[in-house]
Every structure is written in structure tokens, then in C-alpha cells.
Amino acid sequence: MSSVTIIGGGVIGTASALALQAEGYAVTLIDPGQIKRAASYGNCSLLAIGEIVPISRPGTLRKVPGWLLDPAGPLHVRPRSLATELPWLVRFLLAGRPARVKQIAAAMTPLLHRAQEDWAAQLSDANLSEALVQSENLIAMNSLADYEADQFAWGLRAEHGFSHRFVPWSELHSMEPCLGGPIMCAVEAKGWLQFSDPSFVLTRLQQLFVARGGELLSDEVTGIETRGRTAVAVTLGGGVRRQVDKLVLAAGAWSGALARALGLRVPVAALWGYHHQVANPSVNVTRPVLYANGGFVLTPLSSGLRIGGTIEIAGKAPKPNFARADMLADKARKVLPGLVTAGGEQWMGPRPFMPDTLPVIAPSPAQDNVVLAFGHGQVGQTLGATTGKLVAELVSGRKPSVDLAPYAPTRF
């Protein structure tokens, strides 16, 4: 039986491990075990069907000065990180040109159109179907003018088959009576659902992987040894060398450094996100609400109400700035009168972003036995099961069921 070693035990690596097990491979999943550091723990728990429009889009460039000056803004660049992160930021801004945004949206479409089906199959296999909650997301706004101002993005989504419905205040209030403050309308994003709790889902999937004979190794991969066009071993913490047959690199925001060991320079950056979560919020939100004007998401998890969002460009290992989590809680109280946020859990973790927000899903151009699967940005939870199936196809040598050219690591 062929064996596969996967670096990274987040949602991408774990979904890939299960898909490879289904193909008959013996799989080892290596992860440092610090789940609370990772995006697979702290994300907003959305199945964001239709999130095909990148963050950088027409009009983004003129907002950059404000991001630098406003530490409470939805996207902030720490001044000390500006010099080191400037090349990535320039590529990010260039990806916001109208023609490129349209290309990116078209490239994201085939992945997101199948995401719900792929997750439904994997969750059913794991006896976890109830973990995908059938409540469609709302994107709340302060006015009809806010909705009309974003017609470029909504038009792109509609063009690619992702539908939505405008919801006036009278209907919105009946759907979510707790919402208030400046919110006056919303969009119901058709097909956008949520997971009951991303940490719960990941833990259960890892338990299934182990129950089916998989090896879950709690360790850090510090290096990859290659010989010609073959990866032959990984180096673990403490210098332990472990031979590999086939290798999958799915280490999220930490993938860039390991990719360099493969001779690849891939511009994947850690963009830091925050959340503030309360177990007993004293208000009842029945579905995820993305507040467009505030730049955050309210997600009712089985473990409490999560207030998540913001993007911070702060380098590779910054100290947490939990004032940003406090800011999320403050903003949430303004649109949820009666919300209690005292004593909440605060989290900071890295989302793995490519400048164009397209993931890397591809065979390594430098090795014949390595597959790359990282850089999913804000849709890693959404695309976990889909990426896992594509990884299994690549490792097995089959023709991928999606054209992977847009996700090549060499596109920059």
C-alpha cells in the first residue's frame, strides 16, 4: 500500500487525509497540535458559497492610507510591517484591477459551486451531517445605497450562478429581531450556510481519520529533504528524520517557508484575524450575519456567539493586539442591543492568503511526488472537502475534476 505524508492538520490537511484514506492510502498527518493558533479553529464557521470576489477590488487602492492610519479599521497594516510586507501588498492591490477581479471570480467559481456537495458527502460519511446548519447567511447593511454601491461584486456573483435576495428592514426585523442600531436592510446570500462549530468539526474528522487507521503525529515539520525531483524525507522537531513516499504540503500560513525547501517561492502571507466569542450573549441570533459596514461576522455556534473578522497585516509572528478583538465586541454591541460580551474568549490567528486570494492547489513543479494545497484565505473552511478531493485526485495521478491552472504556485 502506498503511503502519503501530509504536513498540516487543519481543515485542508484533514479533509485531504480522509479523501486519501478512501482511495486506499496509508496516511500520516503531521501537525504541531496547537489547534487554537490556527484559522481552522478561529474562523467564522461559514460555508461561504459565492464568495468569489477578492478583497482587493476596484476602489481598494484609495483606502490604503486609511488602513494605515486607522487601527480599528476592518483591514489594518501595522506600520512596522509595511516595509517587509510591501511586495505582497503591491501584488494584492494589482489583483484588484477590474479585469483581474473578473478572472479571479471565474477561477473561484468551479470550486465554490461544488463545495456544499463535497462537504455534505464528507460529513455524511463521518456521521456529522447535522454539523452543517441549514440557515442561509444574511449580509446586513446600513442602507439601500450600501447595497447599490457594491453592485460590481453582486453582479459578478449573479453572473456566475450565485444568487441573492434583497431583504428590506420590515422583513429583516422579523427574521432577526435582535438586530438594531444603524442596520436598515440586508441581502440573503442563497446557499451560504454555516458549520455548528469549526473546532468541533475538525476534531471529529481527525478522530475518524485515526479510527480508520491513520497516524496523527503531533510534531512540527522544520524541513523537507529532496533528492532530484523527489521529496525523500521530512525533518521533525528535535531533528528527527522521517522518510516519505508521497507528500502533501497543507500547512496553511506556514506553507511558504516549507515551500522554499522545495525550491519554490510562493507569496503566501499570514493575514491575522481576530474573534471575540461569548458563551451566553443574552441575545438570540439564529443565523450568521455579516455586517458589511462594520467588517465583522456574527455566527451563532454551538459553543456561543462568535464575533469574528478583521484583517491585519502584521508580519509572520506578531504579538496579539487584542484591542482589535475588543473593537469587534464594541461594534457588535452597537448592532445587537442587549448583547453581553464580558468574559468572552479572544483569539488571534493567521489566515493563509495569496495576493489574488486564489488558493494553491497543484502538483509541485519541482518534485514528482509532492502536492501543494494551501493559501485559501477566508474560504479555507468552505473549501476543505473540495480541496481534499482534488488532492486525492492529484496524488492518485488521475486527471483533476477541475482545471487547476488558475491555482498554480508559479502564477506570480
Short mmCIF file of all heavy atoms in Angstrom, two decimals, residues 229-296:
data_model
loop_
_atom_site.label_atom_id
_atom_site.label_comp_id
_atom_site.label_asym_id
_atom_site.label_seq_id
_atom_site.Cartn_x
_atom_site.Cartn_y
_atom_site.Cartn_z
N ARG A 229 14.17 15.19 -8.28
CA ARG A 229 12.76 15.59 -8.36
C ARG A 229 11.89 14.80 -7.38
O ARG A 229 10.69 14.62 -7.60
CB ARG A 229 12.24 15.40 -9.79
CG ARG A 229 12.82 16.41 -10.78
CD ARG A 229 12.07 16.34 -12.12
NE ARG A 229 10.65 16.57 -11.97
CZ ARG A 229 10.06 17.76 -11.90
NH1 ARG A 229 10.81 18.85 -11.95
NH2 ARG A 229 8.75 17.86 -11.75
N THR A 230 12.49 14.39 -6.27
CA THR A 230 11.74 13.59 -5.30
C THR A 230 11.96 14.14 -3.89
O THR A 230 13.10 14.40 -3.49
CB THR A 230 12.20 12.12 -5.33
OG1 THR A 230 12.06 11.61 -6.66
CG2 THR A 230 11.37 11.27 -4.39
N ALA A 231 10.87 14.32 -3.15
CA ALA A 231 10.97 14.59 -1.72
C ALA A 231 11.15 13.25 -1.02
O ALA A 231 10.35 12.32 -1.22
CB ALA A 231 9.71 15.29 -1.22
N VAL A 232 12.21 13.12 -0.22
CA VAL A 232 12.54 11.82 0.36
C VAL A 232 12.31 11.75 1.86
O VAL A 232 12.16 10.66 2.42
CB VAL A 232 14.00 11.43 0.04
CG1 VAL A 232 14.18 11.25 -1.47
CG2 VAL A 232 14.98 12.45 0.59
N ALA A 233 12.29 12.92 2.54
CA ALA A 233 12.12 12.88 3.99
C ALA A 233 11.70 14.24 4.50
O ALA A 233 11.88 15.26 3.83
CB ALA A 233 13.43 12.45 4.67
N VAL A 234 11.12 14.24 5.69
CA VAL A 234 10.84 15.48 6.40
C VAL A 234 11.62 15.44 7.71
O VAL A 234 11.87 14.37 8.28
CB VAL A 234 9.33 15.68 6.68
CG1 VAL A 234 8.57 15.85 5.39
CG2 VAL A 234 8.77 14.53 7.51
N THR A 235 12.00 16.62 8.18
CA THR A 235 12.68 16.74 9.46
C THR A 235 11.68 17.27 10.49
O THR A 235 11.01 18.28 10.26
CB THR A 235 13.88 17.70 9.37
OG1 THR A 235 14.76 17.25 8.34
CG2 THR A 235 14.63 17.75 10.69
N LEU A 236 11.60 16.57 11.60
CA LEU A 236 10.65 16.95 12.65
C LEU A 236 11.37 17.72 13.75
O LEU A 236 12.59 17.86 13.74
CB LEU A 236 9.98 15.70 13.23
CG LEU A 236 9.28 14.78 12.22
CD1 LEU A 236 8.67 13.59 12.94
CD2 LEU A 236 8.23 15.53 11.43
N GLY A 237 10.60 18.24 14.69
CA GLY A 237 11.18 18.94 15.81
C GLY A 237 12.18 18.05 16.54
O GLY A 237 11.94 16.85 16.73
N GLY A 238 13.31 18.62 16.94
CA GLY A 238 14.35 17.83 17.59
C GLY A 238 15.28 17.16 16.62
O GLY A 238 16.17 16.41 17.01
N GLY A 239 15.05 17.41 15.30
CA GLY A 239 15.95 16.88 14.29
C GLY A 239 15.65 15.48 13.81
O GLY A 239 16.43 14.89 13.04
N VAL A 240 14.54 14.90 14.25
CA VAL A 240 14.18 13.55 13.82
C VAL A 240 13.86 13.55 12.32
O VAL A 240 13.12 14.41 11.83
CB VAL A 240 12.97 13.03 14.62
CG1 VAL A 240 12.52 11.66 14.10
CG2 VAL A 240 13.31 12.95 16.09
N ARG A 241 14.44 12.60 11.59
CA ARG A 241 14.22 12.48 10.14
C ARG A 241 13.22 11.37 9.88
O ARG A 241 13.34 10.28 10.41
CB ARG A 241 15.55 12.18 9.44
CG ARG A 241 15.46 12.10 7.93
CD ARG A 241 16.86 11.83 7.35
NE ARG A 241 16.86 11.74 5.89
CZ ARG A 241 16.61 10.62 5.22
NH1 ARG A 241 16.32 9.49 5.87
NH2 ARG A 241 16.62 10.63 3.89
N ARG A 242 12.25 11.66 9.02
CA ARG A 242 11.21 10.67 8.72
C ARG A 242 11.05 10.57 7.20
O ARG A 242 10.79 11.57 6.52
CB ARG A 242 9.89 11.08 9.37
CG ARG A 242 8.79 10.04 9.23
CD ARG A 242 7.52 10.54 9.89
NE ARG A 242 6.43 9.60 9.72
CZ ARG A 242 5.94 8.84 10.68
NH1 ARG A 242 6.44 8.90 11.90
NH2 ARG A 242 4.94 8.00 10.43
N GLN A 243 11.24 9.38 6.66
CA GLN A 243 11.13 9.17 5.22
C GLN A 243 9.68 9.33 4.75
O GLN A 243 8.74 9.06 5.49
CB GLN A 243 11.65 7.79 4.84
CG GLN A 243 13.15 7.63 4.99
CD GLN A 243 13.63 6.28 4.48
OE1 GLN A 243 13.02 5.25 4.72
NE2 GLN A 243 14.76 6.30 3.77
N VAL A 244 9.53 9.78 3.51
CA VAL A 244 8.20 9.93 2.92
C VAL A 244 8.16 9.25 1.56
O VAL A 244 9.18 9.13 0.87
CB VAL A 244 7.80 11.42 2.78
CG1 VAL A 244 7.79 12.11 4.13
CG2 VAL A 244 8.71 12.15 1.80
N ASP A 245 6.99 8.78 1.20
CA ASP A 245 6.74 8.21 -0.12
C ASP A 245 6.13 9.29 -1.02
O ASP A 245 6.73 9.73 -1.99
CB ASP A 245 5.83 7.00 0.01
CG ASP A 245 5.53 6.33 -1.33
OD1 ASP A 245 6.20 6.67 -2.32
OD2 ASP A 245 4.62 5.47 -1.37
N LYS A 246 4.93 9.73 -0.66
CA LYS A 246 4.28 10.87 -1.30
C LYS A 246 4.03 11.92 -0.23
O LYS A 246 3.80 11.58 0.94
CB LYS A 246 2.98 10.46 -1.98
CG LYS A 246 3.15 9.44 -3.11
CD LYS A 246 1.80 9.01 -3.68
CE LYS A 246 1.96 7.92 -4.74
NZ LYS A 246 2.60 8.43 -5.95
N LEU A 247 4.04 13.20 -0.63
CA LEU A 247 3.97 14.28 0.34
C LEU A 247 2.94 15.31 -0.09
O LEU A 247 2.87 15.68 -1.28
CB LEU A 247 5.34 14.95 0.47
CG LEU A 247 5.50 16.05 1.53
CD1 LEU A 247 5.38 15.47 2.93
CD2 LEU A 247 6.85 16.74 1.36
N VAL A 248 2.13 15.78 0.86
CA VAL A 248 1.18 16.87 0.62
C VAL A 248 1.53 18.00 1.58
O VAL A 248 1.62 17.79 2.79
CB VAL A 248 -0.28 16.41 0.87
CG1 VAL A 248 -1.24 17.60 0.71
CG2 VAL A 248 -0.66 15.28 -0.08
N LEU A 249 1.73 19.19 1.03
CA LEU A 249 2.01 20.37 1.85
C LEU A 249 0.72 21.17 2.01
O LEU A 249 0.22 21.77 1.06
CB LEU A 249 3.09 21.23 1.20
CG LEU A 249 3.45 22.55 1.91
CD1 LEU A 249 3.81 22.32 3.37
CD2 LEU A 249 4.57 23.27 1.17
N ALA A 250 0.16 21.13 3.22
CA ALA A 250 -1.12 21.80 3.52
C ALA A 250 -1.01 22.50 4.86
O ALA A 250 -1.87 22.35 5.73
CB ALA A 250 -2.26 20.79 3.52
N ALA A 251 0.05 23.27 5.03
CA ALA A 251 0.38 23.87 6.33
C ALA A 251 -0.13 25.28 6.48
O ALA A 251 0.37 26.04 7.32
CB ALA A 251 1.89 23.82 6.55
N GLY A 252 -1.10 25.68 5.69
CA GLY A 252 -1.72 26.99 5.86
C GLY A 252 -0.72 28.11 5.73
O GLY A 252 0.12 28.15 4.81
N ALA A 253 -0.78 29.04 6.67
CA ALA A 253 0.07 30.22 6.62
C ALA A 253 1.54 29.90 6.77
O ALA A 253 2.40 30.74 6.46
CB ALA A 253 -0.36 31.21 7.70
N TRP A 254 1.86 28.70 7.26
CA TRP A 254 3.25 28.30 7.44
C TRP A 254 3.80 27.56 6.21
O TRP A 254 4.93 27.06 6.24
CB TRP A 254 3.38 27.42 8.68
CG TRP A 254 3.08 28.18 9.94
CD1 TRP A 254 3.94 28.98 10.66
CD2 TRP A 254 1.84 28.25 10.63
NE1 TRP A 254 3.30 29.53 11.74
CE2 TRP A 254 2.00 29.10 11.75
CE3 TRP A 254 0.58 27.67 10.42
CZ2 TRP A 254 0.98 29.39 12.65
CZ3 TRP A 254 -0.44 27.96 11.31
CH2 TRP A 254 -0.25 28.80 12.41
N SER A 255 3.04 27.49 5.15
CA SER A 255 3.45 26.73 3.97
C SER A 255 4.56 27.40 3.17
O SER A 255 5.34 26.72 2.50
CB SER A 255 2.24 26.51 3.04
OG SER A 255 1.25 25.74 3.69
N GLY A 256 4.65 28.73 3.22
CA GLY A 256 5.62 29.43 2.41
C GLY A 256 7.06 29.03 2.71
O GLY A 256 7.86 28.76 1.80
N ALA A 257 7.40 28.96 4.00
CA ALA A 257 8.77 28.60 4.38
C ALA A 257 9.09 27.18 3.97
O ALA A 257 10.21 26.89 3.50
CB ALA A 257 8.94 28.77 5.89
N LEU A 258 8.14 26.25 4.13
CA LEU A 258 8.38 24.87 3.74
C LEU A 258 8.45 24.73 2.23
O LEU A 258 9.19 23.89 1.71
CB LEU A 258 7.29 23.97 4.32
CG LEU A 258 7.33 23.84 5.85
CD1 LEU A 258 6.07 23.16 6.37
CD2 LEU A 258 8.57 23.07 6.29
N ALA A 259 7.68 25.54 1.50
CA ALA A 259 7.75 25.51 0.04
C ALA A 259 9.14 25.91 -0.45
O ALA A 259 9.61 25.40 -1.48
CB ALA A 259 6.69 26.42 -0.57
N ARG A 260 9.81 26.80 0.27
CA ARG A 260 11.16 27.19 -0.12
C ARG A 260 12.13 26.00 -0.06
O ARG A 260 13.08 25.93 -0.83
CB ARG A 260 11.66 28.34 0.75
CG ARG A 260 11.04 29.68 0.37
CD ARG A 260 11.78 30.85 0.97
NE ARG A 260 11.61 30.94 2.41
CZ ARG A 260 10.59 31.54 3.00
NH1 ARG A 260 9.64 32.11 2.27
NH2 ARG A 260 10.51 31.58 4.32
N ALA A 261 11.87 25.07 0.85
CA ALA A 261 12.69 23.86 0.91
C ALA A 261 12.50 22.98 -0.33
O ALA A 261 13.34 22.13 -0.63
CB ALA A 261 12.36 23.06 2.17
N LEU A 262 11.40 23.21 -1.03
CA LEU A 262 11.13 22.50 -2.29
C LEU A 262 11.62 23.28 -3.50
O LEU A 262 11.39 22.88 -4.64
CB LEU A 262 9.63 22.24 -2.43
CG LEU A 262 8.97 21.42 -1.32
CD1 LEU A 262 7.45 21.42 -1.47
CD2 LEU A 262 9.50 19.98 -1.33
N GLY A 263 12.27 24.41 -3.26
CA GLY A 263 12.77 25.25 -4.35
C GLY A 263 11.73 26.19 -4.90
O GLY A 263 11.90 26.72 -6.00
N LEU A 264 10.64 26.42 -4.15
CA LEU A 264 9.55 27.26 -4.63
C LEU A 264 9.45 28.52 -3.78
O LEU A 264 9.55 28.47 -2.55
CB LEU A 264 8.22 26.50 -4.55
CG LEU A 264 8.14 25.17 -5.30
CD1 LEU A 264 6.85 24.47 -4.96
CD2 LEU A 264 8.25 25.39 -6.80
N ARG A 265 9.22 29.64 -4.44
CA ARG A 265 8.95 30.89 -3.73
C ARG A 265 7.51 31.26 -4.03
O ARG A 265 7.19 31.76 -5.11
CB ARG A 265 9.92 31.99 -4.17
CG ARG A 265 11.38 31.68 -3.84
CD ARG A 265 12.28 32.88 -4.03
NE ARG A 265 11.97 33.96 -3.09
CZ ARG A 265 12.45 34.02 -1.84
NH1 ARG A 265 13.22 33.07 -1.38
NH2 ARG A 265 12.13 35.03 -1.05
N VAL A 266 6.65 31.00 -3.05
CA VAL A 266 5.21 31.20 -3.21
C VAL A 266 4.79 32.31 -2.26
O VAL A 266 5.00 32.21 -1.04
CB VAL A 266 4.43 29.91 -2.90
CG1 VAL A 266 2.95 30.10 -3.22
CG2 VAL A 266 4.99 28.74 -3.70
N PRO A 267 4.19 33.39 -2.77
CA PRO A 267 3.86 34.54 -1.91
C PRO A 267 2.61 34.35 -1.07
O PRO A 267 1.61 35.05 -1.22
CB PRO A 267 3.69 35.68 -2.91
CG PRO A 267 3.17 35.00 -4.14
CD PRO A 267 3.87 33.66 -4.18
N VAL A 268 2.65 33.37 -0.17
CA VAL A 268 1.54 33.17 0.76
C VAL A 268 1.86 33.94 2.04
O VAL A 268 2.95 33.81 2.60
CB VAL A 268 1.29 31.68 1.04
CG1 VAL A 268 2.52 30.99 1.61
CG2 VAL A 268 0.09 31.50 1.97
N ALA A 269 0.93 34.77 2.47
CA ALA A 269 1.13 35.63 3.64
C ALA A 269 0.17 35.26 4.74
O ALA A 269 -0.93 34.76 4.49
CB ALA A 269 0.96 37.10 3.26
N ALA A 270 0.59 35.51 5.96
CA ALA A 270 -0.29 35.35 7.12
C ALA A 270 -1.00 36.67 7.36
O ALA A 270 -0.39 37.65 7.75
CB ALA A 270 0.52 34.95 8.34
N LEU A 271 -2.30 36.70 7.06
CA LEU A 271 -3.12 37.86 7.40
C LEU A 271 -3.90 37.50 8.66
O LEU A 271 -4.68 36.55 8.67
CB LEU A 271 -4.07 38.22 6.25
CG LEU A 271 -3.42 38.58 4.91
CD1 LEU A 271 -4.44 39.27 4.01
CD2 LEU A 271 -2.20 39.45 5.06
N TRP A 272 -3.70 38.30 9.68
CA TRP A 272 -4.17 37.91 11.01
C TRP A 272 -5.62 38.33 11.24
O TRP A 272 -6.01 39.46 10.97
CB TRP A 272 -3.24 38.51 12.06
CG TRP A 272 -1.86 37.96 11.89
CD1 TRP A 272 -0.89 38.45 11.05
CD2 TRP A 272 -1.31 36.81 12.49
NE1 TRP A 272 0.24 37.66 11.10
CE2 TRP A 272 0.01 36.64 12.00
CE3 TRP A 272 -1.78 35.90 13.44
CZ2 TRP A 272 0.84 35.60 12.39
CZ3 TRP A 272 -0.95 34.86 13.84
CH2 TRP A 272 0.34 34.72 13.32
N GLY A 273 -6.40 37.39 11.70
CA GLY A 273 -7.79 37.64 12.03
C GLY A 273 -8.02 37.52 13.53
O GLY A 273 -7.20 36.94 14.26
N TYR A 274 -9.14 38.04 13.99
CA TYR A 274 -9.48 38.03 15.41
C TYR A 274 -10.92 37.57 15.59
O TYR A 274 -11.75 37.70 14.68
CB TYR A 274 -9.34 39.44 16.01
CG TYR A 274 -7.93 39.95 16.10
CD1 TYR A 274 -7.30 40.51 14.99
CD2 TYR A 274 -7.22 39.87 17.30
CE1 TYR A 274 -5.99 40.97 15.07
CE2 TYR A 274 -5.92 40.34 17.40
CZ TYR A 274 -5.31 40.90 16.29
OH TYR A 274 -4.01 41.37 16.37
N HIS A 275 -11.19 37.04 16.78
CA HIS A 275 -12.59 36.88 17.17
C HIS A 275 -12.75 37.12 18.66
O HIS A 275 -11.79 37.04 19.43
CB HIS A 275 -13.17 35.53 16.73
CG HIS A 275 -12.84 34.33 17.58
ND1 HIS A 275 -12.48 33.11 17.04
CD2 HIS A 275 -12.83 34.13 18.93
CE1 HIS A 275 -12.27 32.24 18.01
NE2 HIS A 275 -12.48 32.83 19.17
N HIS A 276 -13.98 37.45 19.02
CA HIS A 276 -14.40 37.57 20.42
C HIS A 276 -15.65 36.71 20.52
O HIS A 276 -16.63 36.94 19.80
CB HIS A 276 -14.71 39.03 20.76
CG HIS A 276 -15.07 39.25 22.20
ND1 HIS A 276 -14.18 39.77 23.12
CD2 HIS A 276 -16.21 39.00 22.90
CE1 HIS A 276 -14.76 39.85 24.30
NE2 HIS A 276 -15.99 39.39 24.20
N GLN A 277 -15.62 35.71 21.40
CA GLN A 277 -16.74 34.78 21.50
C GLN A 277 -17.28 34.73 22.91
O GLN A 277 -16.52 34.64 23.87
CB GLN A 277 -16.30 33.38 21.06
CG GLN A 277 -17.44 32.36 21.10
CD GLN A 277 -17.09 31.07 20.41
OE1 GLN A 277 -16.37 31.07 19.40
NE2 GLN A 277 -17.59 29.96 20.91
N VAL A 278 -18.61 34.77 23.01
CA VAL A 278 -19.25 34.72 24.32
C VAL A 278 -20.19 33.52 24.38
O VAL A 278 -20.97 33.27 23.45
CB VAL A 278 -20.02 36.03 24.62
CG1 VAL A 278 -19.04 37.13 24.98
CG2 VAL A 278 -20.88 36.46 23.44
N ALA A 279 -20.11 32.79 25.49
CA ALA A 279 -20.93 31.59 25.65
C ALA A 279 -22.39 31.93 25.89
O ALA A 279 -23.29 31.22 25.43
CB ALA A 279 -20.39 30.73 26.79
N ASN A 280 -22.64 33.04 26.60
CA ASN A 280 -24.01 33.44 26.93
C ASN A 280 -24.22 34.90 26.55
O ASN A 280 -24.11 35.79 27.39
CB ASN A 280 -24.27 33.23 28.43
CG ASN A 280 -24.11 31.79 28.85
OD1 ASN A 280 -24.86 30.92 28.42
ND2 ASN A 280 -23.11 31.52 29.70
N PRO A 281 -24.53 35.15 25.28
CA PRO A 281 -24.59 36.55 24.80
C PRO A 281 -25.84 37.31 25.20
O PRO A 281 -25.91 38.53 24.99
CB PRO A 281 -24.53 36.37 23.29
CG PRO A 281 -25.14 35.02 23.04
CD PRO A 281 -24.73 34.17 24.20
N SER A 282 -26.86 36.64 25.72
CA SER A 282 -28.12 37.28 26.14
C SER A 282 -28.95 37.80 24.97
O SER A 282 -29.92 38.53 25.19
CB SER A 282 -27.86 38.41 27.15
OG SER A 282 -27.27 37.88 28.31
N VAL A 283 -28.57 37.50 23.75
CA VAL A 283 -29.38 37.80 22.58
C VAL A 283 -29.41 36.54 21.71
O VAL A 283 -28.52 35.70 21.80
CB VAL A 283 -28.83 39.00 21.77
CG1 VAL A 283 -28.94 40.29 22.56
CG2 VAL A 283 -27.40 38.74 21.33
N ASN A 284 -30.41 36.44 20.88
CA ASN A 284 -30.58 35.23 20.08
C ASN A 284 -30.47 35.55 18.59
O ASN A 284 -31.42 36.05 17.98
CB ASN A 284 -31.94 34.59 20.38
CG ASN A 284 -32.13 33.29 19.62
OD1 ASN A 284 -31.17 32.57 19.38
ND2 ASN A 284 -33.35 32.99 19.24
N VAL A 285 -29.30 35.29 18.02
CA VAL A 285 -29.09 35.41 16.58
C VAL A 285 -29.23 34.01 16.01
O VAL A 285 -28.57 33.07 16.46
CB VAL A 285 -27.69 35.98 16.26
CG1 VAL A 285 -27.48 36.09 14.76
CG2 VAL A 285 -27.51 37.34 16.93
N THR A 286 -30.09 33.84 15.02
CA THR A 286 -30.43 32.49 14.56
C THR A 286 -29.62 32.02 13.36
O THR A 286 -29.69 30.85 12.99
CB THR A 286 -31.92 32.41 14.18
OG1 THR A 286 -32.18 33.24 13.03
CG2 THR A 286 -32.80 32.86 15.35
N ARG A 287 -28.86 32.92 12.76
CA ARG A 287 -28.07 32.56 11.57
C ARG A 287 -26.88 33.52 11.49
O ARG A 287 -26.88 34.58 12.13
CB ARG A 287 -28.93 32.68 10.31
CG ARG A 287 -29.21 34.11 9.88
CD ARG A 287 -30.36 34.21 8.93
NE ARG A 287 -31.62 33.99 9.63
CZ ARG A 287 -32.71 33.51 9.05
NH1 ARG A 287 -32.71 33.23 7.77
NH2 ARG A 287 -33.81 33.33 9.75
N PRO A 288 -25.87 33.20 10.68
CA PRO A 288 -24.75 34.13 10.53
C PRO A 288 -25.20 35.45 9.92
O PRO A 288 -26.00 35.48 8.97
CB PRO A 288 -23.78 33.40 9.59
CG PRO A 288 -24.13 31.96 9.74
CD PRO A 288 -25.61 31.93 9.96
N VAL A 289 -24.70 36.53 10.48
CA VAL A 289 -24.97 37.87 9.96
C VAL A 289 -23.62 38.54 9.70
O VAL A 289 -22.85 38.78 10.62
CB VAL A 289 -25.80 38.71 10.95
CG1 VAL A 289 -26.00 40.13 10.39
CG2 VAL A 289 -27.14 38.04 11.24
N LEU A 290 -23.35 38.82 8.44
CA LEU A 290 -22.15 39.55 8.06
C LEU A 290 -22.52 41.02 8.00
O LEU A 290 -23.36 41.42 7.19
CB LEU A 290 -21.63 39.09 6.69
CG LEU A 290 -21.08 37.67 6.55
CD1 LEU A 290 -22.20 36.64 6.56
CD2 LEU A 290 -20.27 37.54 5.27
N TYR A 291 -21.93 41.83 8.85
CA TYR A 291 -22.26 43.26 8.87
C TYR A 291 -21.26 43.97 7.96
O TYR A 291 -20.12 44.21 8.33
CB TYR A 291 -22.21 43.79 10.29
CG TYR A 291 -22.57 45.25 10.42
CD1 TYR A 291 -23.52 45.85 9.59
CD2 TYR A 291 -21.95 46.06 11.38
CE1 TYR A 291 -23.85 47.19 9.70
CE2 TYR A 291 -22.27 47.39 11.50
CZ TYR A 291 -23.22 47.96 10.66
OH TYR A 291 -23.54 49.30 10.78
N ALA A 292 -21.72 44.31 6.76
CA ALA A 292 -20.83 44.87 5.74
C ALA A 292 -20.20 46.18 6.18
O ALA A 292 -19.01 46.42 5.94
CB ALA A 292 -21.61 45.05 4.43
N ASN A 293 -20.96 47.03 6.81
CA ASN A 293 -20.43 48.34 7.22
C ASN A 293 -19.45 48.23 8.39
O ASN A 293 -18.60 49.10 8.57
CB ASN A 293 -21.58 49.27 7.61
CG ASN A 293 -22.52 49.55 6.46
OD1 ASN A 293 -23.41 48.74 6.18
ND2 ASN A 293 -22.34 50.66 5.76
N GLY A 294 -19.55 47.18 9.16
CA GLY A 294 -18.68 47.02 10.32
C GLY A 294 -17.50 46.11 10.09
O GLY A 294 -16.56 46.08 10.88
N GLY A 295 -17.54 45.32 9.00
CA GLY A 295 -16.43 44.44 8.70
C GLY A 295 -16.29 43.26 9.64
O GLY A 295 -15.17 42.83 9.94
N PHE A 296 -17.41 42.70 10.12
CA PHE A 296 -17.33 41.54 11.01
C PHE A 296 -18.53 40.64 10.78
O PHE A 296 -19.49 41.00 10.09
CB PHE A 296 -17.23 41.95 12.48
CG PHE A 296 -18.43 42.68 13.02
CD1 PHE A 296 -19.52 41.99 13.53
CD2 PHE A 296 -18.47 44.07 13.03
CE1 PHE A 296 -20.63 42.66 14.03
CE2 PHE A 296 -19.56 44.76 13.53
CZ PHE A 296 -20.65 44.05 14.03
#
